[in-house]
Amino acid sequence: MKMRQDAKATLVVGVALVGWAVFGGLVDLANPFMGTDNTKDLSCGNLYPAIARPWGMNCWTPQTGPAGQGWLYDWKDRKILGFHQTHQPSPWIGDYGQFSLMPTVGRPVFAEKDRASWFSHKTETGAPHDYRVYLADHDVAVELTPTERAARFRVTYPQTNAPNFVVDALDMGSSIFVDAAHRRVTGVSRKTFVRGNEKMLGAKPLDCHFVLEFDHPFADVRVWNGKALVPGVSFAGKHTGAVLTFPATKRGEQVNVRVASSFISAEQALRNLEETGTDGFDALRARGAAAWNDALGRLAVEGGSETDRRKFYTCLYRSLLFPRQLHEYDAEGRPYHCSPYGKGPQPGYYYCDTGFWDTFRALFPLITWLYPERVTEIMEGFGHCLDESGWIPEWSAPYHRNCMIGQNSASVIADAFFAGCLSTNLAHRLYAGLVKATAATNPVCISVGRVGYEEYNRLGYVARDGITGGRQSAARTLEYAYADACIARMGAALGRPAAEVERHRARSGNWRNLFHPQHRLACGRALDGSWDPDFSPIRWGYDFTEGTPLHYTWSVFQDIPGLCAAMGGARAFEDRLDSVFALPPHFDGSFFGGCTHEIREMFVAGFGQYAHGNQPIQHMIYLYDWCGAWPKAQTWARAAMDRLYHPTPNGYCGDEDNGQTSAWFVWSALGMYPVSPISGEYALGAPLFDRIDVKLPKGKRLVLQAKGAADHAVFASTERNGTRLTRPFVLRADLLKGGMLVWKAH
């Protein structure tokens, strides 16, 4: 009898899995598992499979690691602990607004270790809008598909007298209430601050109100009181949750669950639940596929290998997750949001969960070019952040996080301004916020404002023995100088006073104050003007951020011709670029007490000192365009695309970081890169595909053509609308007009 039951079980599971990998369209090429195979000392992306809508407020992911430890999912794990609503932008930042769901059978259990189930990747399938898995311990198949603020689950149970469903509100202070008459569960999940000093900026933890509705009645209800499951329908405490037991199920019987959340109110969570519609799971999944196909369809590629297409659309999908929406829509369809800064519900859009130190480089220029309507909303949200907190964000999740350096919001905002994504009023407000931050800092949240601004404004650099205490002084100087260039250019366009504009324009040249005349690299400098006596081009940290002088010297986005001249001219500049790839991957990690994962990712990559796994040097390949060595830019860009990206769980060569490393690939596959975002000019490389059709705003179409791209990493020339380009650069304004950009091999 047991053998016959097992055979039947195998048949039912097999039927449930048929067609799980068939979604249709471009979304089928995006692999949410790319970058999910990591260790703490070697990042291959540091990602979880994010099942979401483009820029959706919530992501869903299978949870294989304990809640709260940063790594929600690891490809190497063999048990699933639950299905997690998450807002985590990075394991280093942490999560908020999270709770976990899990079907089980048999005796009701609640704790993660008790409810966990073995699973196999052979019965796990995912796409950006769709996830499915078989939970072997419970003989249960789970499917989920999301909207922007809600999701549907479809759970296929075996024949059992005890089909259960766990709702875990998690342990940061939560509450749960079961309304059996309406087959509904409501609750609140709370999250304390990762770093307490954010409270001093007026930030407050956001309550995440959630609601679940089931199409089956409850035969039994138990709540978790932090220690045990007890009969009851409600509980509030440090850690709460519930286990629902349905009436006995027949084999293959499906329980449908609708779930939504809100940062505003329980009433709004119910309103958000309406996003799931009334026409069932399959219809919602189809709408999710359509949403992703529409977003991914801004770029349609032809030619290339299937592997290249999978890499491309996976990277494009990752580029469209952050910054995520925090706003919701009221009964009249108007956007509003719960202010992370204690102001309560406020009108308007709000976007968060992004760090500009990473994303100003490629991610924001990509969405500003291709999705300007979205960037208009994002910029409005930054205006609300400024109004509610007094500061423009630099690392937002969802409030200001005390993480990373620089004033890179200046690049993001100026680029959006020149792309026409800001109203005049908003442009002036954001500009004023940028100027404020150039002569201010917050002592408890040093990511906003400018740490060391007094030294920078007085000396022309942040001193290595000054206020920063020998940490990141050179990196701050270089990033402030680029920010000053962005502010000066935007100020001039806004008609700001000439003296104000000139002040920032002059400071944009402060990179020269740290350019060592003998080393011909950026070097830390003391208050008395003396250079770092222990300078080493391969020493990580100290005056630099997650990098070395060989990585950071190239961060003169605003004046690359000036940097080229300072190095001794085009030939010397080219030789220095060559040396980054030619030098062995030796390193000095004394600042960190050893080898960090960023260092290890560099020396295992086989690109010498080129550390593509971290952001500061990712644009360096395209600097060959400034010294007459365009073929080398093409060659190295293709090498990086071929060798450092794979559409597999270990597919990245370092942290993916909110879409930045993915956006680098997308740009490079298009055959161009925004080295200096505010310039409106893209440096040319070589496309990865024979043809790329680009859907531009206002109905314009652009065709990028490179026949034989699979066989040619290097092209001899480029033509725009039949006219040969005399320089390896193209203007965004020209591309937005549409037409043809053609790479020719001869």
Side-chain angles (χ1 to χ4, degrees):
M1 182 67 176
K2 185 177 187 303
M3 289 181 63
R4 292 176 61 189
Q5 288 176 337
D6 288 347
K8 185 178 180 181
T10 301
L11 176 61
V12 170
V13 171
V15 171
L17 292 175
V18 168
W20 275 25
V22 180
F23 309 116
L26 298 177
V27 72
D28 190 31
L29 295 171
N31 178 12
F33 300 106
M34 180 173 168
T36 62
D37 186 3
N38 305 280
T39 64
K40 287 189 176 181
D41 54 4
L42 185 69
S43 171
C44 296
N46 268 336
L47 298 173
Y48 53 84
I51 312 303
R53 292 286 180 92
W55 300 285
M57 188 176 86
N58 305 328
C59 287
W60 286 90
T61 189
Q63 177 196 340
T64 67
Q69 57 85 42
W71 280 260
L72 292 171
Y73 179 97
D74 189 328
W75 182 260
K76 295 181 289 298
D77 288 340
R78 293 294 176 258
K79 288 189 176 182
I80 286 178
L81 312 181
F83 300 90
H84 208 74
Q85 180 186 277
T86 176
H87 300 89
Q88 179 173 291
S90 161
W92 317 113
I93 292 295
D95 209 346
Y96 66 95
Q98 73 275 42
F99 55 92
S100 198
L101 311 176
M102 183 69 174
T104 67
V105 298
R107 180 178 62 89
V109 294
F110 183 83
E112 288 179 342
K113 64 181 178 63
D114 297 327
R115 71 194 191 216
S117 173
W118 281 81
F119 79 106
S120 167
H121 295 306
K122 297 179 179 64
T123 60
E124 180 187 40
T125 307
H129 68 297
D130 183 82
Y131 177 84
R132 317 182 194 191
V133 72
Y134 173 64
L135 303 177
D137 284 73
H138 306 301
D139 194 17
V140 165
V142 179
E143 304 168 77
L144 77 89
T145 189
T147 69
E148 291 179 335
R149 297 162 191 84
R152 279 185 181 267
F153 281 74
R154 184 162 64 188
V155 183
T156 304
Y157 283 96
Q159 181 172 332
T160 176
N161 291 324
N164 307 312
F165 196 89
V166 178
V167 181
D168 189 344
L170 299 178
D171 62 353
M172 297 296 182
S174 55
S175 63
I176 199 84
F177 175 73
V178 180
D179 179 358
H182 294 91
R183 302 175 181 177
R184 181 182 294 168
V185 177
T186 57
V188 176
S189 174
R190 296 188 173 92
K191 181 73 169 74
T192 57
F193 291 105
V194 175
R195 300 176 179 87
N197 59 16
E198 277 86 350
K199 294 180 181 179
M200 300 178 72
L201 284 175
K204 292 185 178 180
L206 294 179
D207 288 349
C208 179
H209 304 268
F210 61 85
V211 58
L212 294 89
E213 288 190 351
F214 298 81
D215 69 350
H216 278 51
F218 309 146
D220 183 60
V221 176
R222 305 186 189 196
V223 295
W224 179 256
N225 64 12
K227 296 181 180 179
L229 283 172
V230 296
V233 296
S234 66
F235 191 78
K238 181 181 178 182
H239 188 180
T240 68
V243 177
L244 316 170
T245 301
F246 307 113
T249 53
K250 299 178 181 178
R251 184 154 198 82
E253 186 171 345
Q254 294 179 332
V255 173
N256 288 277
V257 188
R258 299 194 303 150
V259 55
S261 64
S262 169
F263 290 108
I264 295 172
S265 67
E267 179 186 20
Q268 182 63 42
L270 277 170
R271 186 173 295 121
N272 293 344
L273 194 64
E274 296 172 6
E275 291 184 355
T276 61
T278 60
D279 47 0
F281 184 94
D282 292 326
L284 185 65
R285 183 169 57 199
R287 291 203 300 272
W292 274 109
N293 285 330
D294 180 65
L296 299 173
R298 297 280 173 106
L299 299 172
V301 305
E302 296 179 15
S305 67
E306 181 179 347
T307 295
D308 287 339
R309 292 192 295 274
R310 289 187 177 278
K311 287 193 285 190
F312 181 81
Y313 283 108
T314 300
C315 286
L316 184 55
Y317 140 72
R318 286 287 179 187
S319 300
L320 306 184
L321 292 172
F322 300 102
R324 76 165 83 248
Q325 302 171 57
L326 192 71
H327 57 272
E328 305 169 49
Y329 292 90
D330 66 15
E332 284 71 44
R334 297 170 300 195
Y336 74 134
H337 62 275
C338 185
S339 169
Y341 300 99
K343 310 293 185 182
Q346 299 290 314
Y349 298 106
Y350 201 102
Y351 284 78
C352 59
D353 294 352
T354 187
F356 294 153
W357 186 85
D358 302 293
T359 55
F360 85 87
R361 306 166 193 273
L363 184 280
F364 270 97
L366 181 69
I367 61 176
T368 298
W369 180 43
L370 291 177
Y371 308 89
E373 72 284 359
R374 182 69 60 170
V375 173
T376 296
E377 294 181 4
I378 292 170
M379 291 299 122
E380 181 184 320
F382 292 163
H384 293 314
C385 181
L386 174 62
D387 294 341
E388 294 162 23
S389 73
W391 301 90
I392 292 171
E394 296 294 338
W395 228 120
S396 166
Y399 40 79
H400 299 294
R401 292 301 185 97
N402 203 6
C403 185
M404 304 313 293
I405 68 162
Q407 195 191 0
N408 298 301
S409 58
S411 180
V412 173
I413 290 168
D415 187 36
F417 169 69
F418 288 113
C421 297
L422 275 68
S423 68
T424 301
N425 175 269
L426 180 58
H428 281 283
R429 286 167 49 215
L430 291 176
Y431 176 83
L434 293 173
V435 172
K436 168 192 170 181
T438 65
T441 189
N442 190 296
V444 297
C445 188
I446 60 175
S447 66
V448 294
R450 290 186 178 183
V451 172
Y453 72 89
E454 303 97 328
E455 297 166 10
Y456 176 82
N457 294 345
R458 176 170 54 89
L459 301 173
Y461 59 91
V462 181
R464 64 188 320 269
D465 59 345
I467 193 171
T468 66
R471 296 173 63 91
Q472 305 175 310
S473 61
R476 292 182 190 278
T477 300
L478 293 168
E479 295 192 22
Y480 295 164
Y482 173 55
D484 275 317
C486 298
I487 294 168
R489 187 158 183 250
M490 185 174 176
L494 288 172
R496 297 297 301 169
E500 178 180 278
V501 172
E502 176 57 25
R503 180 172 67 247
H504 293 292
R505 189 206 62 76
R507 288 175 181 167
S508 72
N510 281 348
W511 65 271
R512 296 179 181 276
N513 297 327
L514 294 189
F515 190 82
H516 196 289
Q518 279 75 50
H519 300 311
R520 295 193 176 183
L521 292 170
C523 179
R525 204 166 182 179
L527 287 165
D528 64 5
S530 60
W531 299 100
D532 174 13
D534 300 315
F535 175 85
S536 167
I538 62 171
R539 188 178 64 175
W540 286 68
Y542 291 99
D543 298 313
F544 298 92
T545 302
E546 298 182 4
T548 71
L550 277 174
H551 302 148
Y552 245 99
T553 296
W554 312 105
S555 296
V556 187
F557 310 98
Q558 70 277 23
D559 189 11
I560 297 167
L563 179 63
C564 182
M567 283 190 176
R571 181 59 185 272
F573 190 73
E574 181 181 351
D575 288 345
R576 177 62 84 179
L577 290 168
D578 289 344
S579 74
V580 174
F581 298 107
L583 288 170
H586 299 160
F587 66 90
D588 176 351
S590 58
F591 179 79
F592 305 105
C595 183
T596 66
H597 77 88
E598 291 94 347
I599 298 173
R600 184 171 292 107
E601 286 142 20
M602 179 195 77
F603 78 69
V604 302
F607 279 73
Q609 291 288 324
Y610 178 70
H612 190 83
N614 209 17
Q615 282 68 41
I617 201 172
Q618 287 182 348
H619 68 291
M620 191 210 82
I621 284 172
Y622 290 94
L623 298 187
Y624 280 112
D625 286 5
W626 274 264
C627 60
W630 180 38
K632 290 184 178 180
Q634 298 180 69
T635 299
W636 283 114
R638 180 65 64 86
M641 284 189 281
D642 287 347
R643 291 160 52 187
L644 300 181
Y645 292 79
H646 301 280
T648 59
N650 63 353
Y652 290 97
C653 58
D655 284 355
E656 200 281 328
D657 282 332
N658 305 128
Q660 164 57 30
T661 300
S662 289
W664 183 95
F665 185 94
V666 173
W667 276 112
S668 295
L670 296 177
M672 60 188 79
Y673 193 78
V675 172
S676 179
I678 60 162
S679 70
E681 186 175 63
Y682 305 146
L684 294 179
L688 187 60
F689 302 100
D690 290 350
R691 180 185 171 105
I692 305 168
D693 286 280
V694 184
K695 292 183 181 179
L696 296 169
K698 301 179 181 179
K700 300 287 186 179
R701 295 293 180 115
L702 172 69
V703 175
L704 309 176
Q705 183 174 293
K707 292 182 179 178
D711 302 318
H712 297 284
V714 176
F715 290 86
S717 64
T718 306
E719 294 181 356
R720 178 178 172 268
N721 295 339
T723 301
R724 181 168 178 167
L725 300 180
T726 58
R727 301 167 60 245
F729 302 95
V730 63
L731 293 174
R732 172 172 60 194
D734 287 339
L735 294 180
L736 286 173
K737 296 173 184 176
M740 295 276 293
L741 196 64
V742 180
W743 281 255
K744 295 194 171 183
H746 304 290

